[in-house]
Amino acid sequence: MSKQATTSRKGLSSDSTALTLPRKLFFALLLLQLFNVLTLVQQLHPFYLVFALAALVLQWLGYLKTRNHSKRAQASLQALTQAHSTKILPSWLILILAISGSVVIAAAGKSLGLLASMIHLLCFAYSLKLFEISQRKDLYQLVVLGVFVATTSLIFIQSIYFSLLVLALVFANFYLLLNFFSPQRRLASELKLLAKLSIYSLPFAIILFVVFPKLTPFWQVPNVKSAKVGLSDRVKIGDIAQLALSNELAFRVSFENETPSHAQLYWRAMVLDDFDGVSWQQAGQRAGQHHYNRYYGANKENAKPSANVSLIGDAIDYQVIVEPSFQSWLFALDFATTQQGNIGQRDDFALFYRGIISQTTSYQVTSFLEAILAPSLSQQSRATNLQLVTENNPRLLAKAKRLRQRFQNDSELIQQVLTDFNQGRYFYTLQPPPVENNSLDQFYFDTRAGFCEHYASSFTYLMRAAGIPARLVVGYLGGELNPRANYLSVYQRNAHAWAEVWLPNRGWQRVDPTAAVDPERVERGFSNNLLQEHANLSDSFFSMQGLGSMWWYQQVRSQIDALDYQWTRWVIGYTGQQQLQLWAKLRAVFTQRQSLGYGLFFLLTCALLLVYFNLMQDKRHHQDKIIVIYLKTLALLAKYSLAKETAMTAQQFAQKVNRQRPELSASFQAITDSFAAVSYQGLTNQQYAQHLKAANRHYWRLRWRLGLTRLGIKN
Amino acid sequence: MQTVVANILAQIETVVIGKPHQIKLALACLLAKGHILIEDLPGMGKTTLANTLAATLGLSYQRIQFTSDLMPSDVIGIAIYEEQSKSFQLHPGAIFNQVVLADEVNRASPKTQSALLEAMEEGRVSVDGVTHSLPEPFFVIATQNPMSHAGTYPLPESQLDRFMMRLSLGFPSIAAERKILQANSSHRDTVAITACIDLNQLREIQQHIANISVSAAIIDYVIALCRLSRSQDSQAKALSPRAGKSLLAAAKAWAFMENRDYVIPDDVQAVFSPVCEHRLAPQQHHIFDEANELSQQILSQVNPTDPLA
């Protein structure tokens, strides 16, 4: 009686349909459900979250109630089982809940979007299923559903830490599942089994990850543009200084060869050539003329005829992994080409992604740093880049006219403007004093303190006023090199704006007035003054100045960042594109006869090593082949429920086989005799060879026979 | 040689009815040059078996009935002064025979017991500082009543160890008992038993048995069995290397009787219980309860095909 009681307290009563759950397991089930749902907390509607919590609390209360009840009643085992099976909610209520909930989700589908409503439906079912556990299979379904819910969160967040967290949660779920199957096992053996199963499944997971076709998601990941910090397609002065306070990662780059110097790292994001006196934006956008910017494929062959570029100088190759920006522009050094079909190029040389970058995306770029951009300028383009709103900044306009009179030569004029910046007591700062109505005049002549966009804007304005085609380019400057993994991290604080002027025969030339004001910003990055300012302004607890100067903090940070980078690069960045490339590479390898030979040689070596290893394992105890055959035969027979008891001698076991399976007896007796002869009698070499041959033959005969009987063929 | 052995067995079986296995074990023990201890209730045929064995082997034979007042000199002999030679001459005791039947050995005082047992081990005796060799071959067949019986001095472990085997005959089967009761013969008729073997043949057989080959696998098996008895959680007394040697010797004799010139694990298993049980559990003997024997437990835990794995 007492024994019975222990087993059913510890285990699950599987024979009856009513199900008893031990307290610990039940609590673990509820806790894991809570965690599984919490992984999606950002995506789920507050109403649903309240519902899920209420469901969990209701379950817990219901459990406590039945437990107390059964305690009071001093119920027998049977009664306890029945008490547990009483449902917390009647099934008609569950049905009504299920239907009404689905209707509500369907109704909200428009505003939620397809993906979110599907996830809500999944989670809703997950919460409801909790009320419907009457059989073991319901438990299994619940746990597996939990695993599905937890992994769904990886659609939205893919950082390595979160992924590890979800993985741990999945393991916890599996552990629970294991507990349902075999509650009697010890913790250590359960963990061991779990580890073993995970290791077994790892190769399959890797193979599936590498080989399984990566489909583009059929759902639209919800646009959370507003929450995101980043460049905007409409820049007025002060915007970028604001952006520079953010320490968020924008993108990462790894160069195939040497990393260019800091001053060369002007990452073009977009070109703003339409100035309304206050803010800059892309031409044509104001009028909704999207067709104005013609799009091209961004491959090298397109460069010459369409984008009007003469490619000279060396090419540098690099991979860019861009964080989700929920925009479509990409970042590259001029002049950029890429073979990827999902990337296009505007005629202002900016790359863009055909779609919204809602997930971490990687692309391969080849840049020609010395290329001449647009040696000839179309009339239309010239007109756009000379367009000027004259009302807002009369003083600049006048200055430009004076300069034009002084310098006929464009280059000299540009040089003079830069010299003015350099020597005119201009001040480079993250906290520009406010100017009225974003007036460039006020900045240029009065406050004389600004961030890159102030200088770039006024410079461009001056150029246009002086009759030189010019435009504003926004993007990022520089980046932080991680020496461990040799890649460049570009943060939002690296955001930058500079100017481009078009000069005859030389095409579009990059001019960065910031360099004239604060050369260090261009050469190396933020100067110490700027860093100090940054530290004061950014509310981040780990301010750059304080902690940043401690070497260990930098070490740890760069280590963690490197880890995150590798994760992003190899796991997240492994997209359909990479997969296709991998296949193409493999196909190329296999079509070459020589490498095919190498491949076969490799496989053959692996197989041989495997066989050798197997043999060595067998031989660890027994060098003798006949003994090995005998032991193999024993193992084989054990599979067919003909196991030798420990104390049985070879002859005794042979007799047992003879009694139970007379049809196998002849072969087995022969093997036994060989074994006995070699173990106990001692054989000459010649006899040994004969015995070995016979034993081998009989072993295979035995296998064959056993195989036939397994297939149901008797002979 | 095998026919000789078969004849011996057949002849003993006509006297000791229904116990072929025990007879075979006893013979194997003698062929392996070991002494036998037969332990059983009174009237089970211990003495009959011992008598018949001695007579069949055609060796010089004397029986000593051990009692509590038996003195060591009664067993070994005594030196007496002789007038003619003006010297002490040994008057040999019963032990100076090739086969000595020590009946009810546990009824004698420990002093007398040890006198006999020292002779068994050494193969010679010393009287008044003069060493006298015992005849060759020399077997002791001792019988004893179960420990619990009144008036017994249990043999200590060290002396039990001198016996290669301890045997029990056990109650006969119905058929055997019917046969025993119907027969008119009594002890005295055993005199009619003729010797089936001469001394030379016996020596030859013993030589042959010594030459029977024992493979490394068998040695491993014996070692594994011994080691198991020495493990921490074993209830048994540890088996000494001498026990292992006795086990091997008995297994060889058994293999010879099975008409093989090499030992297989089955031989070891056949003799394991009689050779080792009295060493593993000296103070108890489950006469009619083989399954509970410590030796059976040890045997069941060692895999003969892969002993040291």
Side-chain angles (χ1 to χ4, degrees):
Chain A
M1 178 62 204
S2 68
K3 195 179 170 188
Q4 207 181 4
T6 17
T7 48
S8 52
R9 195 170 62 238
K10 230 186 146 191
L12 310 165
S13 56
S14 54
D15 42 314
S16 64
T17 46
L19 192 70
T20 342
L21 263 186
R23 204 165 68 95
K24 268 187 198 162
L25 279 186
F26 184 76
F27 189 63
L29 189 71
L30 294 190
L31 202 66
L32 275 178
Q33 172 148 32
L34 181 65
F35 285 147
N36 289 337
V37 170
L38 278 184
T39 56
L40 280 165
V41 72
Q42 283 188 318
Q43 274 67 41
L44 292 171
H45 198 275
F47 280 153
Y48 168 71
L49 288 175
V50 169
F51 172 77
L53 278 179
L56 288 172
V57 170
L58 203 59
Q59 276 288 331
W60 183 237
L61 289 180
Y63 185 83
L64 285 184
K65 199 177 139 200
T66 50
R67 205 164 63 101
N68 288 341
H69 176 75
S70 61
K71 256 188 196 165
R72 263 205 311 278
Q74 287 286 316
S76 71
L77 202 66
Q78 192 116 33
L80 186 74
T81 315
Q82 276 166 358
H84 271 303
S85 69
T86 52
K87 284 181 178 170
I88 293 167
L89 294 183
S91 44
W92 59 266
L93 186 57
I94 296 178
L95 189 68
I96 288 177
L97 270 177
I99 292 173
S100 56
S102 310
V103 169
V104 167
I105 291 172
K110 260 248 161 78
S111 62
L112 283 173
L114 179 64
L115 181 63
S117 37
M118 285 298 165
I119 285 170
H120 275 89
L121 200 61
L122 177 71
C123 290
F124 182 61
Y126 184 43
S127 288
L128 267 191
K129 183 76 195 166
L130 199 58
F131 291 100
E132 229 200 3
I133 304 172
S134 57
Q135 288 171 27
R136 288 173 73 91
K137 72 172 174 53
D138 294 323
L139 276 179
Y140 305 154
Q141 280 174 5
L142 193 68
V143 174
V144 173
L145 205 57
V147 169
F148 200 77
V149 167
T151 44
T152 304
S153 64
L154 292 176
I155 295 177
F156 303 99
I157 311 174
Q158 292 124 3
S159 86
I160 184 166
Y161 309 107
F162 187 76
S163 306
L164 286 178
L165 202 75
V166 169
L167 196 68
L169 198 55
V170 167
F171 272 111
N173 276 302
F174 283 149
Y175 178 69
L176 188 68
L177 194 61
L178 202 63
N179 255 302
F180 287 146
F181 271 107
S182 55
Q184 252 85 5
R185 293 177 83 101
R186 290 240 227 87
L187 178 72
S189 84
E190 269 178 340
L191 291 180
K192 217 166 132 186
L193 181 66
L194 201 60
K196 214 164 88 178
L197 291 177
S198 322
I199 288 171
Y200 285 164
S201 54
L202 192 66
F204 294 104
I206 290 175
I207 288 172
L208 282 181
F209 177 76
V210 173
V211 173
F212 196 78
K214 303 255 171 186
L215 305 171
T216 45
F218 59 86
W219 57 75
Q220 184 72 47
V221 174
N223 197 335
V224 286
K225 195 176 182 175
S226 53
K228 213 59 195 171
V229 184
L231 289 177
S232 149
D233 54 3
R234 193 182 178 92
V235 171
K236 55 184 187 292
I237 54 175
D239 281 359
I240 293 182
Q242 205 59 42
L243 188 58
L245 296 180
S246 165
N247 281 326
E248 216 169 293
L249 186 69
F251 60 97
R252 287 191 272 218
V253 187
S254 65
F255 287 92
E256 218 118 285
N257 299 312
E258 212 175 316
T259 307
S261 71
H262 192 278
Q264 283 178 296
L265 297 173
Y266 278 88
W267 304 103
R268 178 189 293 253
M270 63 193 131
V271 174
L272 307 177
D273 42 13
D274 183 358
F275 185 57
D276 63 357
V278 176
S279 61
W280 291 88
Q281 58 185 313
Q282 282 172 323
Q285 201 156 29
R286 209 183 302 270
Q289 300 169 294
H290 285 287
H291 63 276
Y292 177 76
N293 285 311
R294 283 168 296 153
Y295 303 149
Y296 308 103
N299 53 6
K300 195 173 154 187
E301 289 67 38
N302 268 346
K304 257 191 185 161
S306 59
N308 189 12
V309 172
S310 66
L311 297 177
I312 52 172
D314 294 334
I316 54 171
D317 296 318
Y318 51 95
Q319 189 193 20
V320 182
I321 301 171
V322 55
E323 295 291 303
S325 64
F326 298 96
Q327 304 283 3
S328 61
W329 49 71
L330 299 173
F331 316 101
L333 301 174
D334 296 328
F335 168 80
T337 62
T338 177
Q339 299 296 326
Q340 266 164 252
N342 54 358
I343 293 178
Q345 189 163 44
R346 292 169 183 276
D347 59 3
D348 57 18
F349 321 121
L351 294 184
F352 68 98
Y353 185 73
R354 297 184 199 273
I356 297 289
I357 302 166
S358 55
Q359 288 179 325
T360 308
T361 309
S362 82
Y363 53 97
Q364 194 74 33
V365 187
T366 306
S367 281
F368 298 86
L369 294 186
E370 290 158 27
I372 297 175
L373 307 175
S376 62
L377 195 65
S378 70
Q379 276 307 315
Q380 193 181 25
S381 189
R382 171 180 282 272
T384 308
N385 289 303
L386 283 172
Q387 207 178 40
L388 209 57
V389 177
T390 47
E391 298 96 66
N392 286 30
N393 303 295
R395 286 147 85 190
L396 273 176
L397 208 60
K399 180 178 165 75
K401 292 224 167 93
R402 281 200 304 280
L403 282 170
R404 185 83 271 183
Q405 281 162 5
R406 257 179 78 195
F407 300 100
Q408 290 306 307
N409 187 320
D410 287 351
S411 306
E412 285 172 19
L413 192 150
I414 293 166
Q415 200 51 51
Q416 183 55 42
V417 173
L418 292 179
T419 315
D420 286 349
F421 275 133
N422 188 282
Q423 298 177 353
R425 294 197 183 178
Y426 284 93
F427 188 53
Y428 193 67
T429 176
L430 276 165
Q431 300 164 276
V435 288
E436 236 172 81
N437 199 17
N438 297 304
S439 159
L440 292 178
D441 266 4
Q442 203 182 346
F443 154 71
Y444 190 83
F445 293 104
D446 304 336
T447 63
R448 294 185 179 229
F451 202 56
C452 51
E453 74 272 25
H454 294 77
Y455 296 97
S457 288
S458 19
F459 178 83
T460 314
Y461 189 85
L462 274 172
M463 288 302 119
R464 287 192 176 183
I468 303 171
R471 59 195 187 185
L472 189 72
V473 185
V474 288
Y476 295 86
L477 172 60
E480 282 173 32
L481 190 70
N482 188 316
R484 279 169 201 284
N486 197 26
Y487 65 90
L488 207 65
S489 300
V490 181
Y491 297 92
Q492 296 296 356
R493 63 167 179 271
N494 297 111
H496 194 59
W498 61 93
E500 255 182 351
V501 293
W502 188 85
L503 300 174
N505 301 325
R506 288 161 67 187
W508 285 105
Q509 288 282 309
R510 179 172 64 226
V511 181
D512 189 358
T514 304
V517 183
D518 184 2
E520 203 178 347
R521 167 81 174 94
V522 176
E523 297 299 329
R524 276 193 301 281
F526 279 21
S527 64
N528 281 338
N529 287 340
L530 220 50
L531 275 179
Q532 187 59 51
E533 247 181 70
H534 189 273
N536 293 340
L537 284 173
S538 60
D539 47 359
S540 147
F541 178 71
F542 298 104
S543 59
M544 306 245 312
Q545 197 66 335
L547 263 173
S549 55
M550 287 184 212
W551 71 269
W552 61 264
Y553 172 72
Q554 285 179 340
Q555 294 289 313
V556 170
R557 219 184 56 137
S558 82
Q559 189 72 283
I560 290 177
D561 198 60
L563 193 68
D564 190 49
Y565 168 70
Q566 300 297 359
W567 169 260
T568 312
R569 183 175 184 189
W570 294 112
V571 182
I572 311 236
Y574 184 75
T575 55
Q577 197 76 31
Q578 264 75 6
Q579 201 171 32
L580 288 178
Q581 282 172 10
L582 183 76
W583 283 122
K585 265 184 204 164
L586 277 181
R587 207 174 303 131
V589 163
F590 278 117
T591 44
Q592 276 179 308
R593 195 165 292 169
Q594 196 181 9
S595 31
L596 191 67
Y598 282 131
L600 278 179
F601 179 73
F602 176 74
L603 282 180
L604 208 68
T605 318
C606 283
L608 280 177
L609 276 177
L610 216 68
V611 168
Y612 179 72
F613 184 71
N614 261 340
L615 282 179
M616 283 314 285
Q617 260 200 334
D618 277 340
K619 279 186 178 176
R620 218 168 25 192
H621 296 301
H622 303 285
Q623 292 291 325
D624 193 283
K625 284 177 191 162
I626 291 179
I627 294 178
V628 170
I629 290 174
Y630 181 71
L631 294 180
K632 254 161 57 181
T633 314
L634 287 189
L636 180 72
L637 288 174
K639 274 189 210 161
Y640 291 86
S641 57
L642 256 179
K644 183 174 94 66
E645 286 155 37
T646 310
M648 270 190 176
T649 64
Q651 294 301 343
Q652 287 162 1
F653 184 54
Q655 283 160 19
K656 179 182 168 183
V657 171
N658 186 25
R659 275 196 307 279
Q660 296 193 354
R661 301 288 291 269
E663 78 273 15
L664 305 176
S665 179
S667 291
F668 187 66
Q669 188 64 51
I671 296 172
T672 304
D673 289 344
S674 295
F675 168 76
V678 76
S679 292
Y680 310 125
Q681 197 173 1
L683 295 171
T684 64
N685 282 342
Q686 200 186 349
Q687 283 171 323
Y688 183 84
Q690 282 170 359
H691 272 288
L692 181 59
K693 212 170 145 189
N696 237 328
R697 198 176 61 235
H698 284 294
Y699 172 70
W700 287 108
R701 199 171 289 172
L702 205 64
R703 265 200 103 124
W704 171 244
R705 240 161 222 257
L706 284 169
L708 283 183
T709 41
R710 173 179 267 185
L711 292 172
I713 305 164
K714 290 197 175 167
N715 56 345
Chain B
M1 283 187 287
Q2 303 296 338
T3 50
V4 176
V5 172
N7 286 342
I8 296 173
L9 288 176
Q11 181 162 326
I12 301 176
E13 268 174 60
T14 59
V15 182
V16 182
I17 294 160
K19 296 284 166 198
H21 186 68
Q22 279 82 347
I23 294 167
K24 197 171 167 188
L25 278 171
L27 185 62
C29 183
L30 296 188
L31 295 180
K33 301 186 186 175
H35 309 294
I36 308 174
L37 178 65
I38 304 175
E39 182 181 88
D40 220 324
L41 299 170
M44 302 288 276
K46 301 188 290 286
T47 316
T48 313
L49 173 62
N51 276 333
T52 321
L53 260 176
T56 315
L57 292 179
L59 302 171
S60 70
Y61 161 74
Q62 194 156 2
R63 168 182 166 170
I64 317 170
Q65 181 65 45
F66 277 45
T67 56
S68 53
D69 56 355
L70 188 77
M71 300 303 287
S73 55
D74 297 335
V75 178
I76 292 166
I78 191 163
I80 291 174
Y81 184 75
E82 266 194 23
E83 292 276 350
Q84 286 95 8
S85 59
K86 308 241 190 266
S87 65
F88 282 93
Q89 287 290 314
L90 178 75
H91 277 229
I95 203 162
F96 285 88
N97 278 294
Q98 285 165 323
V99 178
V100 177
L101 172 60
D103 221 356
E104 299 186 32
V105 71
N106 59 345
R107 287 185 63 197
S109 65
K111 196 175 176 184
T112 315
Q113 284 176 0
S114 56
L116 169 74
L117 295 160
E118 273 169 43
M120 281 165 58
E121 183 62 22
E122 307 285 320
R124 57 184 182 233
V125 290
S126 298
V127 181
D128 287 346
V130 185
T131 304
H132 306 272
S133 286
L134 295 175
E136 182 56 31
F138 174 67
F139 299 122
V140 172
I141 303 173
T143 71
Q144 70 171 2
N145 294 321
M147 305 297 172
S148 53
H149 280 222
T152 57
Y153 299 92
L155 295 175
E157 282 94 338
S158 59
Q159 297 183 354
L160 277 176
D161 198 33
R162 309 266 157 87
F163 292 100
M164 181 181 266
M165 284 188 191
R166 178 174 69 176
L167 294 175
S168 294
L169 291 171
F171 293 114
S173 63
I174 293 175
E177 193 157 8
R178 185 178 291 133
K179 220 168 163 186
I180 294 168
L181 294 180
Q182 281 171 347
N184 293 321
S185 60
S186 72
H187 277 173
R188 293 195 180 79
D189 293 340
T190 54
V191 182
I193 283 173
T194 52
C196 297
I197 188 169
D198 64 26
L199 201 57
N200 284 335
Q201 274 178 314
L202 184 62
R203 287 201 173 122
E204 202 184 318
I205 287 174
Q206 284 181 337
Q207 190 58 43
H208 184 87
I209 287 173
N211 286 337
I212 278 180
S213 77
V214 176
S215 71
I218 294 296
I219 303 273
D220 284 353
Y221 186 41
V222 170
I223 291 172
L225 288 169
C226 291
R227 287 183 70 88
L228 193 64
S229 76
R230 297 167 198 163
S231 65
Q232 290 280 313
D233 49 346
S234 169
Q235 295 172 2
K237 293 242 159 46
L239 289 177
S240 64
R242 179 160 62 189
K245 274 191 105 153
S246 299
L247 182 58
L248 265 187
K252 281 176 168 183
W254 193 266
F256 166 76
M257 294 172 77
E258 293 284 322
N259 202 8
R260 243 183 292 105
D261 59 357
Y262 56 91
V263 180
I264 63 172
D266 303 70
D267 302 328
V268 178
Q269 288 192 348
V271 299
F272 185 73
S273 172
V275 171
C276 295
E277 184 62 27
H278 64 289
R279 294 173 162 99
L280 292 166
Q283 300 310 340
Q284 50 189 308
H285 192 193
H286 311 277
I287 295 178
F288 309 118
D289 188 10
E290 265 199 1
N292 260 342
E293 285 184 342
L294 284 172
S295 53
Q296 293 303 325
Q297 290 173 20
I298 288 180
L299 218 47
S300 71
Q301 288 174 52
V302 179
N303 182 355
T305 52
D306 199 5
L308 291 179

